[in-house]
Amino acid sequence: MEHTQDNPASQTPPSAGDTAQPIAENVAEQVAAAATEPQSQQEPSAQAELAEAQAKVVELSESFLRAKAETENVRRRAQEDVLKARKFAIESFAEHLLPVIDSLEAALADSSGDVAKLREGVELTLRQLSNALDKGKVVAINPVGQKFDPHQHQAISMVPADQEPNTVVSVLQKGYVIAERVLRPALVTVAQPK
């Protein structure tokens, strides 16, 4: 019997097809394992992220509703404050005028016939009225000698004068401003251009 030795040269090398099959199967198994493994790991992670996002949406929705309700309350309170301010804005000013009314009623009730006493009472009443106007921030405009300002003055006529042109010569009726806003313009005569 003939004995054959294991001679590496005599052995036939494995063909490329023989080794490619197990490698391809191995790679396919690894790819399949990799594909299924992240999916199984990603699935609970995605569910957790979804639950977290849904919780955040609920929290933001509740927060939005609270903010909306608070804004509505602030708007409603502001409207009530504006209505009250309009309704009672003159209250303080009216309180300052009440003593003036009392003085005028006392003057009407006086039957002494003393003209000097009556004049003194009228002067005191005028002083009370001026004080009430000052407290209400109503200030008289007396622009004699000033440049004519159409925003604060109303010219009745132009007269020849020694003053510069367009200067107020005389005041026929005082004007008044309230908090720097013209309540009534002063009626004035203005110097004519020479």
Side-chain angles (χ1 to χ4, degrees), residues 9-23:
S10 66
Q11 287 183 351
T12 57
S15 68
D18 292 341
T19 56
Q21 183 69 26
I23 291 175

Side-chain angles (χ1 to χ4, degrees), residues 139-141 151-154 172-178 181-187:
V139 180
I141 301 173
H151 299 291
Q152 293 190 346
H153 313 140
Q154 183 177 350
L172 304 172
Q173 185 181 60
K174 287 183 185 176
Y176 290 91
V177 294
I178 184 166
R181 183 177 177 180
V182 176
L183 189 59
R184 179 180 82 184
L187 296 179

Side-chain angles (χ1 to χ4, degrees), residues 12 42 60 111 120 130 148 150 166 172 179 186 192:
T12 57
Q42 285 178 354
L60 290 174
S111 59
E120 184 182 340
S130 294
F148 175 74
N166 292 328
L172 304 172
Q192 231 175 12

Side-chain angles (χ1 to χ4, degrees), residues 109-168:
D110 182 39
S111 59
S112 68
D114 187 359
V115 177
K117 191 175 178 184
L118 186 62
R119 181 174 177 82
E120 184 182 340
V122 170
E123 287 173 352
L124 286 172
T125 304
L126 180 60
R127 212 171 304 133
Q128 280 181 322
L129 182 59
S130 294
N131 288 337
L133 290 175
D134 286 343
K135 289 176 183 173
K137 306 233 185 309
V138 178
V139 180
I141 301 173
N142 190 6
V144 174
Q146 297 177 2
K147 278 288 203 187
F148 175 74
D149 180 0
H151 299 291
Q152 293 190 346
H153 313 140
Q154 183 177 350
I156 297 299
S157 64
M158 297 187 88
V159 294
D162 294 335
Q163 298 173 336
E164 289 185 33
N166 292 328
T167 303
V168 174

Side-chain angles (χ1 to χ4, degrees), residues 8-9 13 44 48 50 60-61 67-68 70 79 91 103-104 108 115 131 142 144 152 163 171 184 188 193:
L50 179 61
L60 290 174
S61 177
K68 185 177 178 184
E70 181 62 27
Q79 277 183 333
E91 182 178 14
S103 295
L104 289 172
L108 286 174
V115 177
N131 288 337
N142 190 6
V144 174
Q152 293 190 346
Q163 298 173 336
V171 177
R184 179 180 82 184
V188 298

